[in-house]
Amino acid sequence: MDILKRIEQFRETEERLKWEGTFAQYLEIVKQKPWVAQSAHSRVYNMIKDAGYEVVDGKKRYKFFSQQLFGLEEALERLVEEYFHPAAKRLDVRKRILLLMGPVSGGKSTLVTLLKRGLEAYTRTDQGAIYAIKGCPMHEDPLHLIPHHLRDDFYKQYGVRIEGNLSPLNMMRLEQEYGGRIEDVMVERIFFSEDKRVGIGTFSPSDPKSQDIADLTGSIDFSTIAEYGSESDPRAYRFDGELNKANRGIMEFQEMLKCDEKFLWHLLSLTQEGNFKAGRFALISADELIVAHTNETEYRSFISNKKNEALHSRIIVMPIPYNLKLSDEEKIYEKMIKESDVADVHIAPHTLRVAAMFTILTRLKEPKRGDIDLIKKMRLYDGESVEGFNSTDVEELKKEYPDEGMSGIDPRYVINRISSTIIRKEIHSINALDVLRSLKEGLDQHPSITQELKEKYLNFISLARKEYDEIAKKEVQKAFVYSYEESAKTLMDNYLDNVEAYCNKAKLRDPLTGEEINPDEKLMRSIEEQIGISENAKKAFREEILIRISAYARKGKRFDYNSHDRLREAIQKKLFADLKDVVKITTSTKTPDEQQLKKVNEVVARLIDEYGYNSTSANELLQYVGSLLNR
């Protein structure tokens, strides 16, 4: 659609959503839709809840965050269930500053930005609609007009609690503009916007000597004092500080613990009592969710300072660790690359996964159990099935180190190295080896990596390289084996015939001589050994295959090559083991004959058409696997 047409439609929608009326008319809206009078915390919680959630592995995955934040499901579930939900119910949690603590580039800022952008959109919906006294610089809640002695009756009639006092400016306007007639006060629907400073405030610390407290609470407009005659006249005051503008919504404190103390003291009464001091006025009521973020080092320094004790009890700390799931780390890189100018560069399959392996390994802590290594731990965390382990083992591993994920390599470093690879290679195709090489070279330039850490990280790069070697061999194996699909099916049928005879303690008939023969144990073991089935486990595996065949037969389905993942893998590996010599010759011969060339071209075509490679990366993969097999 034409962009100008879209802009026109947006403008029409904005106009349609606008509403203006008297306080008496607003009360009718409250009667029909009591949620318009909800608190800031409640609005944020309902915004997240209304987007829905799904339960994955017993954990809630909130859809509100799912397209932007990956691998933080547990942290986000804790944030919603332990902070937003009770705060929405007006429990004491809402009187706390929400402090997101975690390592750099871990998603803290992205999380806050999501909440801010989400609120902007939510206030344009029916469920998120919000109204304010017209012309109020603090977008004050119209219900503050209800006198205190009538609020209990109001609650009984409308089911809505009112907290907070009318601001000095609106108190004066009520008397002077409306003659004290509350019902005539004009009310309007407002829409949150960070750019227009409505309902969303952001405060960032700067030089304490030059930064003024007015940035938070507003200031006197000296040009109007002559007109109004006094500094305590609310019309002579600019209610334009971040705390004023964030009223009814969300207030973000960037790097809060770097702020000068005088800025933090305002938060004491704002969180606990719901008001703050500005100018020569009584306390000003404000209803806003205060969210701040910091890193662990600054937080430890902050709590060790006795002067900050009053604030300690006003803060709820929510750890936001690095993602520890391999597949989610891959999604993070995909998202970051899509948002860059290198989105058109061909990145060979498994490249981002191998980079993610290195990153995740740097964040994991060595398991205390002797029967598990970091690679197995990484796979278990990613939801892969590892023989001999189950979900209970995963939960035990997570309990070993409560602070796991608070250190390691951050996603920005990896993306920087990928970008460096793309620019340096000067061709529109990169592979896993290019990125691993770049990650290795970049360790020398990383300012916070000690020599000891560097050696540890080099070991992780080697581990990721070994994993890639297996992936590469398997990829080529699948492409080669596909050309031998008939061979694969024949081999599997042969195996199944033998398994059936073995389990039923029967004999097979030789197709040539017609004589009865025993099941071919050598053939069955040569296939089973490909996937690590031990001599002791062979009977159970064969019976499992037979049960699967029976289950398929009962449902009227045919058991084929793709019906059992592990058996398919074993057949592929067995075929590939027999084909190794062919692969070696075809990939390493400088002057292949016509037959070999045809085979290579078939495999390259399959890698391009079905596995996502381009001609450059497919040929690079074949050459690399050839060199691996020739070692």
Side-chain angles (χ1 to χ4, degrees):
M1 193 187 287
D2 178 43
I3 191 67
L4 294 176
K5 188 79 176 165
R6 294 284 293 273
I7 291 168
E8 187 184 337
Q9 284 182 355
F10 176 76
R11 194 163 53 240
E12 286 170 3
T13 304
E14 290 280 286
E15 284 300 315
R16 198 165 55 249
L17 288 174
K18 282 181 182 175
W19 181 90
E20 191 177 298
T22 62
F23 181 68
Q25 291 169 319
Y26 171 66
L27 284 184
E28 287 304 311
I29 294 176
V30 174
K31 192 178 284 184
Q32 293 166 23
K33 305 174 182 177
W35 62 81
V36 300
Q38 65 189 323
S39 68
H41 289 83
S42 177
R43 192 171 290 106
V44 172
Y45 173 67
N46 285 322
M47 168 184 74
I48 296 167
K49 184 168 68 73
D50 288 352
Y53 67 85
E54 53 189 349
V55 178
V56 181
D57 299 329
K59 307 284 181 192
K60 281 185 182 175
R61 182 174 289 179
Y62 289 94
K63 293 179 181 177
F64 178 82
F65 305 107
S66 60
Q67 296 306 308
Q68 294 291 324
L69 292 168
F70 305 101
L72 294 178
E73 287 79 20
E74 288 181 34
L76 293 171
E77 184 182 2
R78 192 166 62 247
L79 174 65
V80 175
E81 298 300 326
E82 293 181 18
Y83 183 78
F84 288 132
H85 193 180
K89 298 288 184 189
R90 295 182 181 268
L91 292 169
D92 219 43
V93 170
R94 72 196 169 103
K95 297 178 179 179
R96 307 284 181 271
I97 299 163
L98 174 61
L99 180 64
L100 306 175
M101 180 189 71
V104 293
S105 193
K108 302 185 298 295
S109 300
T110 305
L111 170 53
V112 179
T113 302
L114 269 178
L115 292 173
K116 293 195 290 188
R117 294 296 86 80
L119 272 176
E120 288 178 344
Y122 193 59
T123 56
R124 285 164 171 75
T125 67
D126 190 48
Q127 288 298 113
I130 181 168
Y131 297 80
I133 295 173
K134 189 180 180 190
C136 172
M138 285 182 62
H139 348 287
E140 188 165 7
D141 185 348
L143 296 183
H144 284 181
L145 290 160
I146 303 282
H148 280 270
H149 66 278
L150 295 177
R151 289 185 179 182
D152 285 341
D153 295 334
F154 183 85
Y155 176 64
K156 286 170 190 169
Q157 186 178 345
Y158 288 85
V160 174
R161 293 185 191 278
I162 305 171
E163 292 180 348
N165 303 311
L166 199 60
S167 67
L169 181 62
N170 285 323
M171 206 175 284
M172 178 178 274
R173 289 178 64 205
L174 175 62
E175 294 304 320
Q176 295 188 358
E177 292 178 31
Y178 299 101
R181 288 179 58 82
I182 290 169
E183 62 272 34
D184 292 340
V185 173
M186 292 304 290
V187 174
E188 63 180 345
R189 183 173 178 180
I190 60 168
F191 308 104
F192 285 175
S193 166
E194 186 172 19
D195 294 339
K196 294 177 182 176
R197 300 186 75 216
V198 178
I200 297 173
T202 305
F203 184 78
S204 186
S206 59
D207 181 9
K209 292 174 185 172
S210 61
Q211 195 157 32
D212 191 350
I213 200 72
D215 294 348
L216 273 185
T217 59
S219 59
I220 295 164
D221 185 352
F222 290 102
S223 65
T224 60
I225 291 175
E227 183 183 348
Y228 298 121
S230 168
E231 288 183 19
S232 59
D233 189 310
R235 293 168 298 177
Y237 196 84
R238 288 197 298 256
F239 294 89
D240 60 356
E242 293 302 321
L243 293 180
N244 307 103
K245 294 299 180 183
N247 186 32
R248 316 288 301 286
I250 190 168
M251 171 70 197
E252 178 191 8
F253 261 81
Q254 296 177 346
E255 302 296 341
M256 184 183 94
L257 304 185
K258 287 179 182 170
C259 284
D260 190 65
E261 289 170 8
K262 65 183 179 185
F263 293 96
L264 298 180
W265 300 141
H266 277 280
L267 303 183
L268 289 173
S269 64
L270 181 58
T271 50
Q272 196 62 36
E273 310 299 335
N275 52 45
F276 63 92
K277 191 82 175 76
R280 297 178 181 180
F281 306 113
L283 291 167
I284 295 173
S285 296
D287 170 31
E288 51 200 81
L289 161 66
I290 299 172
V291 58
H293 39 91
T294 189
N295 60 48
E296 195 170 4
T297 309
E298 280 171 359
Y299 177 70
R300 300 287 167 222
S301 170
F302 174 76
I303 59 171
S304 64
N305 187 347
K306 295 289 182 189
K307 286 165 69 178
N308 297 322
E309 278 183 351
L311 262 174
H312 294 176
S313 60
R314 306 289 204 286
I315 291 174
I316 280 192
V317 180
M318 281 287 165
I320 305 291
Y322 281 135
N323 158 56
L324 296 175
K325 280 188 173 180
L326 182 59
S327 49
D328 282 329
E329 190 70 14
E330 214 179 332
K331 288 176 190 168
I332 292 170
Y333 301 155
E334 284 167 1
K335 176 192 155 206
M336 292 169 91
I337 286 167
K338 266 184 203 161
E339 293 168 354
S340 73
D341 290 336
V342 295
D344 59 332
V345 172
H346 172 76
I347 297 174
H350 312 295
T351 299
L352 299 182
R353 187 168 185 81
V354 172
M357 280 179 191
F358 162 70
T359 317
I360 299 294
L361 287 170
T362 68
R363 298 171 186 171
L364 294 176
K365 298 204 172 185
E366 203 68 48
K368 292 175 182 176
R369 289 170 53 169
D371 60 342
I372 190 163
D373 58 20
L374 278 177
I375 292 287
K376 281 182 183 170
K377 185 176 183 178
M378 176 180 74
R379 287 190 173 136
L380 284 167
Y381 274 20
D382 199 36
E384 282 186 49
S385 57
V386 176
E387 199 170 352
F389 299 96
N390 55 35
S391 56
T392 310
D393 295 304
V394 178
E395 292 306 314
E396 283 177 14
L397 283 168
K398 287 179 179 176
K399 286 173 187 170
E400 283 184 350
Y401 300 102
D403 63 338
E404 192 167 47
M406 296 301 274
S407 61
I409 289 288
D410 63 282
R412 284 187 200 136
Y413 170 75
V414 178
I415 288 298
N416 289 345
R417 298 315 302 164
I418 290 172
S419 306
S420 169
T421 308
I422 290 166
I423 289 159
R424 194 175 50 208
K425 206 172 175 191
E426 291 182 350
I427 56 170
H428 289 289
S429 174
I430 63 165
N431 60 39
L433 294 175
D434 295 326
V435 172
L436 284 176
R437 202 175 298 119
S438 185
L439 287 169
K440 185 178 179 181
E441 290 166 2
L443 294 177
D444 289 326
Q445 300 158 26
H446 202 295
S448 61
I449 293 178
T450 61
Q451 188 58 34
E452 186 186 348
L453 260 184
K454 184 185 169 187
E455 286 171 17
K456 195 176 173 185
Y457 288 174
L458 285 172
N459 181 46
F460 293 150
I461 288 174
S462 298
L463 286 175
R465 168 79 176 265
K466 282 177 190 167
E467 290 295 303
Y468 176 65
D469 289 353
E470 291 307 308
I471 291 169
K473 281 191 275 189
K474 200 176 280 186
E475 198 87 317
V476 172
Q477 164 192 324
K478 283 192 292 182
F480 261 89
V481 167
Y482 195 87
S483 306
Y484 292 83
E485 184 130 358
E486 284 307 313
S487 310
K489 285 176 181 171
T490 305
L491 181 59
M492 191 188 78
D493 288 342
N494 198 355
Y495 173 78
L496 293 177
D497 288 343
N498 280 278
V499 162
E500 198 170 349
Y502 170 86
C503 290
N504 295 330
K505 295 185 172 55
K507 292 191 181 262
L508 290 163
R509 195 168 292 281
D510 189 301
L512 293 175
T513 64
E515 64 178 306
E516 288 191 331
I517 52 172
N518 289 321
D520 189 342
E521 184 64 25
K522 190 177 176 185
L523 170 76
M524 290 188 285
R525 291 303 294 138
S526 71
I527 290 170
E528 290 156 0
E529 283 167 355
Q530 300 294 331
I531 51 169
I533 303 291
S534 67
E535 185 70 28
N536 293 333
K538 71 180 184 184
K539 187 171 183 289
F541 181 73
R542 292 169 190 178
E543 287 171 349
E544 181 201 324
I545 296 288
L546 218 55
I547 290 166
R548 181 75 65 93
I549 292 171
S550 302
Y552 268 65
R554 277 201 311 276
K555 292 174 186 171
K557 292 201 284 187
R558 187 173 174 275
F559 185 91
D560 63 20
Y561 181 61
N562 294 305
S563 300
H564 193 286
D565 291 342
R566 295 193 73 208
L567 179 56
R568 184 178 68 238
E569 185 188 351
I571 297 285
Q572 286 179 349
K573 282 186 171 178
K574 168 65 178 157
L575 270 179
F576 191 59
D578 299 339
L579 285 169
K580 263 187 182 176
D581 291 337
V582 179
V583 178
K584 278 185 191 177
I585 294 164
T586 35
T587 55
S588 60
T589 306
K590 288 183 180 175
T591 53
D593 61 32
E594 194 177 328
Q595 195 62 32
Q596 290 168 344
L597 202 58
K598 186 185 173 194
K599 179 58 64 186
V600 170
N601 289 338
E602 273 181 26
V603 173
V604 167
R606 195 157 307 287
L607 287 169
I608 293 169
D609 295 342
E610 295 181 24
Y611 297 105
Y613 290 83
N614 67 2
S615 59
T616 305
S617 59
N619 279 297
E620 285 174 344
L621 177 73
L622 273 180
Q623 285 167 8
Y624 182 62
V625 171
S627 72
L628 284 177
L629 295 173
N630 280 316
R631 282 177 192 171

